[in-house]
Amino acid sequence: MPKVDTYVINLDSRQDRCNCMALQLRDAPQAVYRQAAVAGSECPDLQADKHSFYGDHDHVREKSLFCSNYKIWQHANSSEADFIIVMEDDVVLQPSFWNTTYDFLMACPHFDYVTMDSWKESSQQMDAVDICHASLFRPAKMRPVSGYWGSQVQVVRITFLNTLIQRAKIYGMGPLDVWWQMHVNDGRAFSWQPGIAPQAGRQKGGLPRGCSNEIARSDISPKDATSLLQAPAQDVLPRLQCMRLEVW
């Protein structure tokens, strides 16, 4: 059984989402850590990847999300895990999530990075790849006009973290769902679509018991007038604990 560490990115101001994730992950079969969302300025070694920004999304918050992922990559790079799973705090995990995920990890050696249940508005059949008997799709390596949107769950092979870190230093911060398609789409990065981890706003049916409908309210799209919480960077990731946010 591979060793997996799970990280949840969560704004300090979104206790509703943290509580929902804690409920969903209370029986997770491995360690779960919380990464407080940090401002993009907390990654001073990264520039802005202006070629990847698009539309009326809040680019300040997109850089915050990227920087928060970057902090996880740096932290996990020294861990003993085989894989990391990075979750945004608006994902809805289906009952088969862990069994399906572990089956995939054990059966598919041909990937380094996947986004889970990212979606494409247009036909995706031309992107399908016959690998591991899984629903894997490889987008064209360019700035996507109609690409695979969403990064609510990412699965990363631990040996690929150095590549992610180095590409971030080369290209800078951008919206992660566009960034990976442009900059790490080298043949072992895919959109995997098992249907087990939709964003709350795309969930068909009700939300998990104990989760507020408010969790579907986006912090990134569309732009709003609220200010980004300037959370300090953390050297040690705390466990997912919503009533007390300090390190265990």
Side-chain angles (χ1 to χ4, degrees), residues 8-41:
V8 177
I9 298 173
N10 172 244
L11 273 168
D12 287 348
S13 61
R14 293 306 301 266
Q15 284 286 296
D16 56 333
R17 287 184 170 186
C18 190
N19 290 333
C20 181
M21 293 304 298
L23 286 170
Q24 295 187 79
L25 293 168
R26 60 188 174 190
D27 296 322
Q30 78 288 305
V32 180
Y33 303 95
R34 177 182 179 269
Q35 169 65 54
V38 298
S41 59

Side-chain angles (χ1 to χ4, degrees), residues 50-229:
K50 296 179 180 179
H51 296 293
S52 65
F53 292 113
Y54 67 97
D56 63 350
H57 288 202
D58 189 324
H59 302 324
V60 172
R61 289 177 182 265
E62 286 177 326
K63 286 187 287 186
S64 165
L65 179 58
F66 191 97
C67 181
S68 301
N69 274 273
Y70 185 71
K71 295 290 186 183
I72 292 172
W73 301 342
Q74 290 180 311
H75 175 87
N77 200 28
S78 60
S79 77
E80 297 180 354
D82 301 303
F83 299 91
I84 63 168
I85 297 176
V86 182
M87 298 182 180
E88 295 173 11
D89 57 6
D90 63 343
V91 65
V92 178
L93 306 181
Q94 305 303 302
S96 62
F97 179 85
W98 291 113
N99 286 340
T100 301
T101 299
Y102 272 91
D103 286 347
F104 176 70
L105 297 182
M106 291 187 290
C108 190
H110 306 298
F111 83 95
D112 290 319
Y113 174 95
V114 297
T115 57
M116 192 182 297
D117 288 331
S118 49
W119 66 93
K120 187 176 183 180
E121 301 296 345
S122 58
S123 174
Q124 58 191 30
Q125 288 309 309
M126 68 179 65
D127 301 332
V129 293
D130 186 17
I131 295 176
C132 300
H133 305 288
S135 298
L136 290 171
F137 300 87
R138 182 188 298 135
K141 189 175 181 180
M142 61 183 69
R143 185 184 186 282
V145 177
S146 179
Y148 291 85
W149 310 126
S151 55
Q152 66 269 21
V153 178
Q154 304 161 74
V155 183
V156 186
R157 194 177 298 275
I158 207 77
T159 52
F160 194 61
L161 288 174
N162 272 327
T163 297
L164 289 173
I165 292 168
Q166 292 308 313
R167 299 286 172 86
K169 290 178 179 179
I170 293 170
Y171 297 109
M173 296 180 284
L176 196 58
D177 52 359
V178 175
W179 187 91
W180 80 263
Q181 295 176 75
M182 293 177 64
H183 301 314
V184 297
N185 188 6
D186 298 331
R188 289 175 59 90
F190 306 95
S191 169
W192 177 39
Q193 299 181 27
I196 56 174
Q199 282 186 340
R202 298 178 63 84
Q203 162 74 355
K204 296 178 180 178
L207 297 174
R209 180 175 296 181
C211 295
S212 164
N213 289 334
E214 184 69 8
I215 69 168
R217 177 175 59 83
S218 175
D219 292 307
I220 292 179
S221 175
K223 264 187 189 176
D224 59 35
T226 58
S227 61
L228 177 66
L229 178 66

